[in-house]
Amino acid sequence: MFKLDDLKEKFNNRIEFKEKRPGILQVYVPIYREDGDMYDIFIEKSQQNGLIKICDHGLNLMRLSYDYEIDTDKKEEVFHKILNQNQLIEDEGNIYIETDSENLYSAFMQYIQGVSKISSMQYFKKEVIRDMFYENLKDYIHETYEKYNVQDKYYPIEEKTEYEVDYLFDVKPYPVYVFAIKENIKAKNVAISCRQFLLENLNFKSVVVYENMESISKQDIKRVTSAVDKQFPSLQDFKDNSNPYFIKSIAA
Amino acid sequence: MYSDKEINNLIICPKMITKPPKKYLELKYGHLRNSFELSSETKKFYCYIRVCNDFQEDFSIGLIYQPNDAEKLTLVRYNGLHGEHTNPDKTKINTCHIHKASSKCIEENLKPEKYAYTVTNYATYLECLKIFCNDINIQDNINDYFKFHTQLSLL
Protein backbone atom coordinates (compact mmCIF):
# COMPACT_ATOMS: atom_id res chain seq x y z
CA MET A 1 0.00 0.00 0.00
CA PHE A 2 2.81 2.41 0.91
CA LYS A 3 6.51 2.45 0.24
CA LEU A 4 7.73 2.11 3.79
CA ASP A 5 11.19 0.68 3.11
CA ASP A 6 12.87 4.06 3.50
CA LEU A 7 11.24 4.55 6.91
CA LYS A 8 12.32 1.05 7.97
CA GLU A 9 15.86 1.67 6.85
CA LYS A 10 16.13 4.98 8.67
CA PHE A 11 14.84 3.34 11.87
CA ASN A 12 17.34 0.48 11.42
CA ASN A 13 14.38 -1.90 11.03
CA ARG A 14 13.27 -1.09 14.57
CA ILE A 15 9.85 -0.15 13.28
CA GLU A 16 6.86 -2.34 12.44
CA PHE A 17 3.53 -1.78 10.72
CA LYS A 18 0.44 -3.72 11.72
CA GLU A 19 -2.95 -3.44 10.05
CA LYS A 20 -5.33 -1.73 12.49
CA ARG A 21 -8.24 -1.54 10.06
CA PRO A 22 -8.37 -2.06 6.29
CA GLY A 23 -6.22 0.71 4.82
CA ILE A 24 -4.91 1.84 8.23
CA LEU A 25 -1.49 0.76 9.47
CA GLN A 26 -0.50 1.20 13.12
CA VAL A 27 3.15 2.09 13.52
CA TYR A 28 5.13 0.29 16.22
CA VAL A 29 8.20 2.38 16.84
CA PRO A 30 10.22 2.41 20.08
CA ILE A 31 9.21 5.90 21.13
CA TYR A 32 7.31 5.88 24.39
CA ARG A 33 5.33 8.24 26.55
CA GLU A 34 6.25 8.89 30.17
CA ASP A 35 3.80 6.20 31.25
CA GLY A 36 5.56 3.60 29.11
CA ASP A 37 2.89 3.43 26.41
CA MET A 38 4.05 3.69 22.83
CA TYR A 39 2.97 6.74 20.84
CA ASP A 40 -0.20 6.13 18.83
CA ILE A 41 0.72 6.66 15.20
CA PHE A 42 -1.16 5.48 12.14
CA ILE A 43 -0.39 5.69 8.44
CA GLU A 44 -3.12 5.74 5.84
CA LYS A 45 -3.89 7.19 2.44
CA SER A 46 -5.46 10.63 2.48
CA GLN A 47 -8.98 10.54 1.04
CA GLN A 48 -8.62 14.09 -0.25
CA ASN A 49 -5.38 14.08 -2.20
CA GLY A 50 -3.89 10.60 -2.17
CA LEU A 51 -0.93 11.70 -0.05
CA ILE A 52 0.29 9.66 2.91
CA LYS A 53 -1.46 10.72 6.08
CA ILE A 54 0.30 10.26 9.42
CA CYS A 55 -2.32 10.58 12.15
CA ASP A 56 -3.48 9.50 15.62
CA HIS A 57 -7.29 9.12 15.31
CA GLY A 58 -7.73 11.42 18.30
CA LEU A 59 -5.65 9.34 20.69
CA ASN A 60 -3.19 12.06 21.72
CA LEU A 61 -5.94 14.40 22.85
CA MET A 62 -7.73 11.48 24.49
CA ARG A 63 -4.63 10.68 26.51
CA LEU A 64 -4.01 14.33 27.34
CA SER A 65 -7.55 14.55 28.73
CA TYR A 66 -6.80 12.05 31.51
CA ASP A 67 -5.53 14.92 33.61
CA TYR A 68 -5.58 18.04 31.44
CA GLU A 69 -8.32 19.75 29.46
CA ILE A 70 -7.99 22.24 26.61
CA ASP A 71 -10.86 24.25 27.99
CA THR A 72 -9.77 27.89 27.93
CA ASP A 73 -8.91 30.37 25.21
CA LYS A 74 -5.31 30.47 26.43
CA LYS A 75 -4.94 26.69 26.25
CA GLU A 76 -6.56 26.66 22.79
CA GLU A 77 -4.08 29.31 21.73
CA VAL A 78 -1.10 27.28 22.98
CA PHE A 79 -2.49 24.11 21.37
CA HIS A 80 -2.92 25.76 17.97
CA LYS A 81 0.48 27.40 18.25
CA ILE A 82 2.09 23.97 18.68
CA LEU A 83 0.08 22.63 15.74
CA ASN A 84 1.11 25.53 13.50
CA GLN A 85 4.76 25.49 14.50
CA ASN A 86 4.95 21.79 13.68
CA GLN A 87 2.78 22.03 10.55
CA LEU A 88 0.20 19.68 12.02
CA ILE A 89 -3.53 19.80 11.39
CA GLU A 90 -6.30 18.91 13.82
CA ASP A 91 -9.68 17.69 12.62
CA GLU A 92 -12.22 16.63 15.27
CA GLY A 93 -9.40 15.51 17.54
CA ASN A 94 -7.43 13.70 14.85
CA ILE A 95 -3.97 15.28 14.65
CA TYR A 96 -2.32 14.63 11.31
CA ILE A 97 0.28 15.62 8.78
CA GLU A 98 0.27 14.76 5.08
CA THR A 99 3.30 14.02 2.99
CA ASP A 100 4.53 12.26 -0.11
CA SER A 101 6.62 9.10 0.10
CA GLU A 102 9.84 11.03 -0.63
CA ASN A 103 9.48 13.03 2.57
CA LEU A 104 7.89 10.39 4.76
CA TYR A 105 10.74 10.13 7.28
CA SER A 106 11.06 13.85 7.92
CA ALA A 107 7.29 14.25 8.16
CA PHE A 108 7.16 11.29 10.53
CA MET A 109 9.77 12.81 12.83
CA GLN A 110 8.07 16.19 12.67
CA TYR A 111 4.81 14.53 13.60
CA ILE A 112 6.35 12.82 16.64
CA GLN A 113 7.95 16.08 17.73
CA GLY A 114 4.64 17.94 17.50
CA VAL A 115 2.47 15.37 19.26
CA SER A 116 5.04 14.95 22.03
CA LYS A 117 4.78 18.68 22.68
CA ILE A 118 1.00 18.45 22.76
CA SER A 119 1.26 15.49 25.12
CA SER A 120 3.35 17.67 27.43
CA MET A 121 0.78 20.46 27.64
CA GLN A 122 -0.17 19.33 31.14
CA TYR A 123 3.20 20.65 32.30
CA PHE A 124 2.66 24.02 30.64
CA LYS A 125 -0.12 24.65 33.11
CA LYS A 126 2.21 24.95 36.07
CA GLU A 127 4.89 26.76 34.07
CA VAL A 128 2.46 29.25 32.57
CA ILE A 129 0.91 29.96 35.95
CA ARG A 130 4.38 30.33 37.49
CA ASP A 131 5.51 32.63 34.69
CA MET A 132 2.40 34.72 35.15
CA PHE A 133 2.64 34.99 38.94
CA TYR A 134 4.10 38.51 38.97
CA GLU A 135 1.69 39.62 36.29
CA ASN A 136 -1.32 38.10 38.07
CA LEU A 137 -0.35 39.67 41.40
CA LYS A 138 0.12 43.04 39.77
CA ASP A 139 -3.30 42.84 38.11
CA TYR A 140 -4.94 41.80 41.35
CA ILE A 141 -3.32 44.55 43.41
CA HIS A 142 -4.27 47.26 40.96
CA GLU A 143 -7.80 45.97 40.53
CA THR A 144 -8.44 45.53 44.24
CA TYR A 145 -6.30 48.00 46.14
CA GLU A 146 -6.11 51.12 44.01
CA LYS A 147 -7.87 52.90 46.89
CA TYR A 148 -4.63 52.54 48.87
CA ASN A 149 -2.70 54.71 46.38
CA VAL A 150 -0.71 51.84 44.92
CA GLN A 151 2.68 52.66 43.44
CA ASP A 152 4.82 50.12 41.56
CA LYS A 153 8.57 49.92 42.11
CA TYR A 154 9.17 52.14 45.09
CA TYR A 155 12.61 52.96 46.54
CA PRO A 156 12.23 54.05 50.19
CA ILE A 157 15.89 55.11 50.44
CA GLU A 158 16.39 57.40 47.49
CA GLU A 159 20.12 57.05 47.24
CA LYS A 160 20.02 53.26 47.60
CA THR A 161 18.00 51.90 44.71
CA GLU A 162 19.23 48.36 45.33
CA TYR A 163 16.59 48.21 48.09
CA GLU A 164 13.38 47.99 46.15
CA VAL A 165 9.73 47.59 47.08
CA ASP A 166 7.44 45.94 44.52
CA TYR A 167 4.31 47.84 45.56
CA LEU A 168 3.86 50.76 47.90
CA PHE A 169 0.45 51.27 49.51
CA ASP A 170 0.71 54.95 50.39
CA VAL A 171 -1.55 54.93 53.44
CA LYS A 172 -1.73 56.14 57.03
CA PRO A 173 -0.50 55.64 59.67
CA TYR A 174 2.35 53.80 57.95
CA PRO A 175 2.99 52.91 54.35
CA VAL A 176 2.67 49.24 53.43
CA TYR A 177 5.43 47.63 51.38
CA VAL A 178 4.27 44.62 49.38
CA PHE A 179 6.77 42.15 47.98
CA ALA A 180 6.22 39.28 45.53
CA ILE A 181 8.41 36.19 45.93
CA LYS A 182 8.66 33.14 43.74
CA GLU A 183 12.35 32.22 44.05
CA ASN A 184 14.94 31.84 46.81
CA ILE A 185 17.05 34.71 45.51
CA LYS A 186 14.09 37.08 45.67
CA ALA A 187 13.35 35.91 49.21
CA LYS A 188 16.92 36.77 50.24
CA ASN A 189 16.67 40.20 48.60
CA VAL A 190 13.37 40.97 50.32
CA ALA A 191 14.79 39.99 53.73
CA ILE A 192 17.88 42.15 53.16
CA SER A 193 15.81 45.12 51.95
CA CYS A 194 13.44 45.02 54.92
CA ARG A 195 16.34 44.79 57.37
CA GLN A 196 17.94 47.81 55.68
CA PHE A 197 14.69 49.79 55.94
CA LEU A 198 14.59 48.99 59.66
CA LEU A 199 18.21 50.11 60.07
CA GLU A 200 17.22 53.38 58.40
CA ASN A 201 14.45 53.76 61.02
CA LEU A 202 11.73 53.85 58.41
CA ASN A 203 8.19 53.35 59.64
CA PHE A 204 6.35 50.83 57.47
CA LYS A 205 4.50 47.56 57.42
CA SER A 206 5.81 44.82 55.17
CA VAL A 207 3.77 42.15 53.38
CA VAL A 208 5.07 39.24 51.34
CA VAL A 209 3.10 37.24 48.78
CA TYR A 210 4.68 33.96 47.70
CA GLU A 211 3.97 32.23 44.44
CA ASN A 212 4.35 29.01 46.41
CA MET A 213 5.85 29.23 49.87
CA GLU A 214 6.65 25.51 49.84
CA SER A 215 9.05 25.97 46.94
CA ILE A 216 11.25 28.37 48.95
CA SER A 217 14.09 26.96 51.04
CA LYS A 218 13.59 26.79 54.81
CA GLN A 219 16.60 29.04 55.40
CA ASP A 220 15.18 31.75 53.18
CA ILE A 221 11.75 31.50 54.75
CA LYS A 222 13.43 32.02 58.14
CA ARG A 223 15.19 35.12 56.80
CA VAL A 224 11.94 36.55 55.47
CA THR A 225 9.95 35.62 58.58
CA SER A 226 12.34 37.49 60.86
CA ALA A 227 12.25 40.58 58.64
CA VAL A 228 8.64 41.12 57.55
CA ASP A 229 5.28 41.65 59.28
CA LYS A 230 2.94 39.46 57.28
CA GLN A 231 3.28 36.62 54.78
CA PHE A 232 0.74 35.06 52.42
CA PRO A 233 1.84 31.58 51.27
CA SER A 234 0.24 31.84 47.83
CA LEU A 235 -1.48 34.26 45.51
CA GLN A 236 -4.76 32.51 46.22
CA ASP A 237 -4.27 32.98 49.95
CA PHE A 238 -3.51 36.64 49.34
CA LYS A 239 -6.73 36.96 47.35
CA ASP A 240 -8.72 35.19 50.04
CA ASN A 241 -7.29 36.84 53.14
CA SER A 242 -5.47 40.08 52.42
CA ASN A 243 -8.49 42.39 52.39
CA PRO A 244 -9.40 41.91 56.08
CA TYR A 245 -5.72 42.15 56.96
CA PHE A 246 -5.31 45.49 55.19
CA ILE A 247 -8.54 46.88 56.62
CA LYS A 248 -7.34 46.02 60.11
CA SER A 249 -3.71 47.11 59.76
CA ILE A 250 -4.33 50.27 57.76
CA ALA A 251 -7.04 51.46 60.12
CA ALA A 252 -4.89 50.66 63.16
CA MET B 1 5.37 10.00 49.19
CA TYR B 2 3.11 6.96 49.16
CA SER B 3 3.93 3.40 50.16
CA ASP B 4 2.52 0.52 48.10
CA LYS B 5 0.28 -0.35 51.03
CA GLU B 6 -1.14 3.18 51.10
CA ILE B 7 -1.71 3.05 47.35
CA ASN B 8 -3.51 -0.28 47.66
CA ASN B 9 -5.63 1.03 50.52
CA LEU B 10 -6.63 4.05 48.46
CA ILE B 11 -7.64 1.78 45.57
CA ILE B 12 -9.70 -0.66 47.60
CA CYS B 13 -11.21 1.59 50.27
CA PRO B 14 -15.05 1.62 50.08
CA LYS B 15 -16.23 4.53 47.93
CA MET B 16 -19.51 6.27 47.31
CA ILE B 17 -20.38 8.18 44.16
CA THR B 18 -20.67 11.88 45.02
CA LYS B 19 -21.03 13.26 41.51
CA PRO B 20 -22.60 10.76 39.13
CA PRO B 21 -21.50 10.16 35.55
CA LYS B 22 -23.51 11.58 32.69
CA LYS B 23 -26.17 9.30 31.30
CA TYR B 24 -24.45 9.18 27.93
CA LEU B 25 -20.87 9.26 26.75
CA GLU B 26 -20.01 12.61 25.25
CA LEU B 27 -18.03 12.86 22.00
CA LYS B 28 -15.18 15.36 22.16
CA TYR B 29 -11.95 15.59 20.17
CA GLY B 30 -12.50 12.18 18.58
CA HIS B 31 -13.09 10.27 21.79
CA LEU B 32 -16.10 9.33 23.90
CA ARG B 33 -15.90 10.44 27.48
CA ASN B 34 -17.55 10.39 30.85
CA SER B 35 -16.44 11.01 34.42
CA PHE B 36 -17.67 10.81 37.97
CA GLU B 37 -16.50 11.65 41.46
CA LEU B 38 -16.21 9.48 44.52
CA SER B 39 -15.45 9.84 48.18
CA SER B 40 -14.33 7.59 51.00
CA GLU B 41 -14.72 9.20 54.41
CA THR B 42 -12.79 12.45 53.86
CA LYS B 43 -10.87 11.30 50.79
CA LYS B 44 -11.86 12.45 47.33
CA PHE B 45 -11.43 10.60 44.05
CA TYR B 46 -12.11 11.27 40.38
CA CYS B 47 -12.77 8.67 37.69
CA TYR B 48 -12.59 9.20 33.97
CA ILE B 49 -13.74 7.04 31.10
CA ARG B 50 -12.30 7.51 27.62
CA VAL B 51 -13.02 5.49 24.50
CA CYS B 52 -11.45 6.17 21.11
CA ASN B 53 -14.33 6.79 18.70
CA ASP B 54 -12.55 5.23 15.72
CA PHE B 55 -11.04 2.24 17.54
CA GLN B 56 -13.35 1.33 20.38
CA GLU B 57 -11.05 -1.43 21.59
CA ASP B 58 -8.74 1.41 22.65
CA PHE B 59 -10.11 2.77 25.93
CA SER B 60 -8.97 3.99 29.32
CA ILE B 61 -10.69 4.05 32.69
CA GLY B 62 -8.76 5.73 35.47
CA LEU B 63 -9.00 6.42 39.19
CA ILE B 64 -7.33 9.59 40.46
CA TYR B 65 -6.85 10.41 44.13
CA GLN B 66 -7.33 14.10 44.89
CA PRO B 67 -5.75 15.02 48.23
CA ASN B 68 -6.44 18.52 49.53
CA ASP B 69 -2.83 19.36 50.23
CA ALA B 70 -0.83 17.57 47.53
CA GLU B 71 -0.77 16.83 43.82
CA LYS B 72 -3.35 14.43 42.49
CA LEU B 73 -2.23 10.87 41.91
CA THR B 74 -3.42 8.40 39.26
CA LEU B 75 -3.85 5.21 41.28
CA VAL B 76 -4.89 2.88 38.47
CA ARG B 77 -5.70 3.12 34.80
CA TYR B 78 -7.33 0.24 32.96
CA ASN B 79 -6.37 0.20 29.28
CA GLY B 80 -7.81 -1.62 26.33
CA LEU B 81 -5.79 -2.49 23.25
CA HIS B 82 -3.71 0.41 22.07
CA GLY B 83 -0.39 -1.04 21.02
CA GLU B 84 2.74 -1.61 22.97
CA HIS B 85 3.53 -0.76 26.57
CA THR B 86 7.03 -1.09 28.02
CA ASN B 87 7.61 -1.33 31.75
CA PRO B 88 10.56 0.24 33.57
CA ASP B 89 12.15 -3.24 33.63
CA LYS B 90 11.79 -3.31 29.79
CA THR B 91 9.13 -6.03 29.75
CA LYS B 92 6.65 -5.42 26.96
CA ILE B 93 2.87 -5.72 26.93
CA ASN B 94 0.73 -5.88 23.82
CA THR B 95 -2.62 -6.78 25.36
CA CYS B 96 -5.17 -5.16 27.67
CA HIS B 97 -3.34 -3.97 30.76
CA ILE B 98 -3.67 -2.06 34.00
CA HIS B 99 -1.34 0.77 34.97
CA LYS B 100 -0.90 1.01 38.71
CA ALA B 101 0.92 3.59 40.81
CA SER B 102 3.87 2.21 42.73
CA SER B 103 6.14 3.60 45.44
CA LYS B 104 9.14 2.53 43.34
CA CYS B 105 8.11 4.68 40.37
CA ILE B 106 7.33 7.61 42.69
CA GLU B 107 10.72 7.28 44.40
CA GLU B 108 12.48 7.17 41.06
CA ASN B 109 10.58 10.25 39.82
CA LEU B 110 8.93 8.27 37.06
CA LYS B 111 5.31 8.64 36.12
CA PRO B 112 3.70 7.04 39.21
CA GLU B 113 1.54 4.70 37.13
CA LYS B 114 4.30 3.77 34.68
CA TYR B 115 4.27 0.13 35.71
CA ALA B 116 1.53 -1.96 34.07
CA TYR B 117 0.52 -5.60 34.09
CA THR B 118 -1.38 -7.75 31.63
CA VAL B 119 -5.00 -8.70 32.28
CA THR B 120 -7.24 -11.18 30.53
CA ASN B 121 -10.56 -10.61 32.25
CA TYR B 122 -11.90 -7.88 29.96
CA ALA B 123 -11.84 -7.08 26.28
CA THR B 124 -14.44 -4.36 25.87
CA TYR B 125 -14.99 -1.02 27.53
CA LEU B 126 -18.16 -2.16 29.30
CA GLU B 127 -16.56 -5.34 30.64
CA CYS B 128 -13.66 -3.25 31.84
CA LEU B 129 -15.91 -0.67 33.50
CA LYS B 130 -17.75 -3.34 35.46
CA ILE B 131 -14.49 -4.85 36.70
CA PHE B 132 -13.02 -1.44 37.44
CA CYS B 133 -16.02 -0.40 39.55
CA ASN B 134 -15.77 -3.67 41.47
CA ASP B 135 -12.00 -3.41 41.96
CA ILE B 136 -12.11 0.12 43.33
CA ASN B 137 -14.88 -0.91 45.70
CA ILE B 138 -17.76 1.33 44.72
CA GLN B 139 -20.53 0.76 47.25
CA ASP B 140 -23.35 2.18 45.15
CA ASN B 141 -25.33 -0.01 42.80
CA ILE B 142 -23.42 0.77 39.62
CA ASN B 143 -26.26 -0.55 37.47
CA ASP B 144 -28.10 2.64 38.45
CA TYR B 145 -25.42 4.64 36.66
CA PHE B 146 -24.20 2.51 33.78
CA LYS B 147 -26.17 0.56 31.20
CA PHE B 148 -23.92 -2.48 30.96
CA HIS B 149 -26.24 -4.32 28.60
CA THR B 150 -26.24 -1.49 26.06
CA GLN B 151 -24.02 -1.28 23.02
CA LEU B 152 -21.36 1.38 23.25
CA SER B 153 -22.67 3.26 20.25
CA LEU B 154 -25.99 3.74 22.03
CA LEU B 155 -24.47 5.11 25.24
Side-chain angles (χ1 to χ4, degrees), chain A residues 32 35-37 57 65-66, chain B residues 50 54 60 77 82 84-86:
Chain A
Y32 299 92
D35 64 1
D37 287 352
H57 285 266
S65 75
Y66 298 165
Chain B
R50 301 287 185 268
D54 287 351
S60 283
R77 192 176 85 227
H82 64 67
E84 193 169 278
H85 168 82
T86 299

Side-chain angles (χ1 to χ4, degrees), chain B residues 27 32-33 51 53-54 56 76 81 84 93 98-99 111 129 134-135 142 148:
Chain B
L27 178 63
L32 300 157
R33 56 163 58 194
V51 185
N53 196 37
D54 287 351
Q56 297 197 351
V76 283
L81 283 176
E84 193 169 278
I93 296 173
I98 297 176
H99 289 257
K111 193 92 170 166
L129 181 60
N134 185 56
D135 289 352
I142 54 169
F148 289 104

